[in-house]
C-alpha cells in the first residue's frame, strides 16, 4: 500500500515545481536586466522541488521540503517589486498546503494502522 503522507507531499512538491517554473518565467519578463539570475535561481528551486519529491522515503526529504517552503516564501523578496507580494502569497499558500499534507497524511497513516490492527485481532487463529 502507498504511504499517504508521501503521496500527498510529493504531489504538492511537483505542483510547486510547476508554479515556481512559471513564476520564474513571469519574473524574467518583468525584469529583463536580471533575466539570467532569475532563470537559474528559479530553475534550481523547481529542480530541487522535484528531487525532494523523490527523497521523501526518508526524514531528510521532509526536512528539505520545509527548507524549500522557506526559500520559496523568501524568494518573494528578491523578485521584481510588481511581483513581490504575489510570490510571497504563493509561497505562504504552498507552505500551508505542505503543512496540511503532512498533517493529514500522518493522521491517515495512524488511522490505517489502527484499522489494520483491529482487523488482525478479529481474525480467528490459524487463518
Amino acid at each position: 500500500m502507498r504511504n499517504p503522507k508521501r503521496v500527498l507531499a510529493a504531489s504538492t512538491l511537483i505542483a510547486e515545481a510547476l508554479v515556481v517554473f512559471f513564476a520564474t518565467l513571469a519574473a524574467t519578463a518583468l525584469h529583463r536586466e536580471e533575466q539570467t539570475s532569475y532563470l537559474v535561481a528559479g530553475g534550481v528551486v523547481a529542480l530541487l522541488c522535484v528531487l525532494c519529491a523523490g527523497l521523501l522515503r526518508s526524514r531528510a526529504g521532509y526536512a528539505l521540503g520545509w527548507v524549500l517552503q522557506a526559500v520559496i516564501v523568501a524568494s518573494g523578496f528578491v523578485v521584481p517589486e510588481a511581483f513581490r507580494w504575489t510570490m510571497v502569497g504563493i509561497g505562504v499558500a504552498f507552505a500551508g498546503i505542505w503543512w496540511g499534507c503532512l498533517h493529514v497524511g500522518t493522521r491517515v497513516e495512524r488511522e490505517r494502522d489502527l484499522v489494520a490492527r483491529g482487523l488482525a485481532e478479529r481474525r480467528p487463529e490459524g487463518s
Side-chain angles (χ1 to χ4, degrees):
M1 235 186 276
R2 289 184 180 242
N3 180 320
K5 181 169 73 172
R6 188 178 340 148
V7 169
L8 290 171
S11 299
T12 300
L13 287 167
I14 297 301
E16 198 165 12
L18 291 170
V19 170
V20 166
F21 172 73
F22 289 119
T24 299
L25 295 178
T28 59
L30 292 172
H31 200 66
R32 299 249 182 229
E33 297 83 33
E34 300 291 327
Q35 193 171 24
T36 304
S37 299
Y38 288 140
L39 285 173
V40 169
V44 166
V45 172
L47 182 61
L48 284 173
C49 285
V50 172
L51 291 174
C52 183
L55 293 174
L56 293 176
R57 293 183 192 277
S58 70
R59 287 181 171 224
Y62 292 100
L64 177 59
W66 278 114
V67 170
L68 286 171
Q69 302 312 311
V71 166
I72 292 169
V73 170
S75 72
F77 296 103
V78 296
V79 295
E81 185 91 22
F83 199 55
R84 177 164 296 151
W85 294 111
T86 302
M87 193 62 201
V88 169
I90 289 169
V92 168
F94 268 107
I97 292 168
W98 175 255
W99 176 85
C101 288
L102 298 183
H103 180 70
V104 170
T106 300
R107 188 171 55 190
V108 169
E109 286 176 354
R110 193 176 321 122
E111 290 174 5
R112 187 170 66 181
D113 290 343
L114 284 172
V115 169
R117 274 186 289 196
L119 289 174
E121 290 173 1
R122 289 185 177 180
R123 286 192 191 126
E125 288 185 33
S127 58

